[in-house]
Amino acid sequence: MLIFISCIILFLIGLYAVVAKRNLLKIAIGFCIMEYAVNMLFALIGFKSGAIDPVITKVDMPHNFVDPLPQALVLTAIVIGVGTTALFLSFIVRIYEKFKTLDVSEIKKLKG
Amino acid sequence: MIEIYLFLIFMIIAAVIAIEIKNLLAAAIAVGAVGFSAAILFIILQAPDLAIVQIVVEILTVIIFVAVIFRTTDIDKTVGKQLTSMQILGIVFYGFFALLFIIISERILNTLPPFGSPIMKVAGEYIKLGLPKVGGTNIVADIILDFRGLDTLGEATVLFTSAIGVLAVMRKAGRK
């Protein structure tokens, strides 16, 4: 129970960066941390104590595996996460070239 | 059990450092620390596929962050600044929201099975049918490539769409 709550705390740290920070790169870092927190929560939910990783190595071995379904979902989510992060950071590069700053409170002429 | 807590606490500390430090290059390295400790935790949680993918993706993420910092600036000028009243109001509201979020999520997480004993109603079928129906010995690969192959198609769509987006935003030709 406490182990899930520590994942929620990691998520809230990322959300704090997105909400309260004014530097665009810090906001991107907050998004990354939120992704890690959610992935970690899924992997923790699927864990089974005393079980092994879900790979069949012998023909008639007992099927005492951890839950493979959250692992498959998280595998998809990790790869999507790096794509969205790359898109976010390319927008940051463009914004810096136009406004010469990363402070969101100084970027005011966002039109056209 | 104790090592999972240790790595989670390490992740939380590294995340706080990544958010609060003034030098952005150090912040990128701290994000790398969070990601690599996540990879080690995946190994402890018996998920080797996730650990491999996490290591590859984490190296890529840190490289992209460092490339962006070289193209822009490496000092966060907003760290030592005086907070405006609107920002303080926002942080206070965020504190209330975070408290509410923890309370609600504590109630929701109580409905889940306890740590270490998942239900595995759907996954039991996948484990049982993985080798005879698909023929792969790695159950995770069976799921992402066959049972839930449509998910993987959507993932590839999102990945290539974001790659096209990065190329369209970063290209030099055609810009004024």
Side-chain angles (χ1 to χ4, degrees), chain A residues 9-34 88 104, chain B residues 15-21 27 31 76 78 87 91 94:
Chain A
I9 290 170
L10 193 62
F11 181 85
L12 284 173
I13 290 169
L15 193 65
Y16 171 78
V18 174
V19 171
K21 285 286 164 184
R22 296 194 310 188
N23 190 302
L24 275 171
L25 270 166
K26 289 289 175 68
I27 293 173
I29 287 171
F31 268 104
C32 273
I33 290 169
M34 281 159 77
F88 194 169
V104 282
Chain B
V16 171
I17 290 172
I19 286 171
E20 290 299 333
I21 204 164
V31 171
D76 185 0
T78 64
Q87 270 184 307
I91 290 171
Y94 173 78

Side-chain angles (χ1 to χ4, degrees), chain B:
Chain B
M1 193 63 195
I2 187 75
E3 66 269 20
I4 300 175
Y5 277 109
L6 282 178
F7 275 107
L8 275 173
I9 291 166
F10 179 74
M11 280 173 81
I12 290 172
I13 293 170
V16 171
I17 290 172
I19 286 171
E20 290 299 333
I21 204 164
K22 192 176 173 66
N23 192 339
L24 286 172
L25 211 53
I29 292 167
V31 171
V34 178
F36 281 115
S37 53
I40 297 170
L41 253 177
F42 284 141
I43 293 175
I44 295 172
L45 293 173
Q46 303 289 346
D49 312 86
L50 289 186
I52 295 165
V53 173
Q54 177 72 38
I55 286 171
V56 172
V57 159
E58 191 53 44
I59 292 168
L60 203 62
T61 307
V62 173
I63 287 173
I64 294 171
F65 264 108
V66 171
V68 169
I69 288 165
F70 277 150
R71 275 170 173 250
T72 58
T73 176
D74 65 341
I75 300 294
D76 185 0
K77 293 198 180 72
T78 64
V79 164
K81 256 186 189 172
Q82 189 74 33
L83 295 175
T84 61
S85 57
M86 279 306 284
Q87 270 184 307
I88 294 171
L89 198 68
I91 290 171
V92 169
F93 270 112
Y94 173 78
F96 279 120
F97 171 77
L99 209 62
L100 202 68
F101 193 89
I102 287 180
I103 291 168
I104 292 172
S105 62
E106 198 263 339
R107 287 196 178 182
I108 292 169
L109 292 171
N110 269 330
T111 63
L112 287 173
F115 177 70
S117 56
I119 298 175
M120 295 178 71
K121 203 169 179 183
V122 180
E125 290 292 313
Y126 288 159
I127 289 171
K128 207 163 46 184
L129 297 176
L131 191 54
K133 291 260 181 186
V134 184
T137 52
N138 190 344
I139 309 290
V140 178
D142 288 350
I143 290 174
I144 63 168
L145 293 178
D146 192 290
F147 292 116
R148 291 178 176 252
L150 215 54
D151 278 3
T152 310
L153 183 65
E155 172 207 334
T157 311
V158 171
L159 193 64
F160 281 106
T161 310
S162 73
I164 291 169
V166 170
L167 286 179
V169 172
M170 294 301 290
R171 72 185 183 135
K172 294 276 187 235
R175 279 198 296 139
K176 281 187 281 189

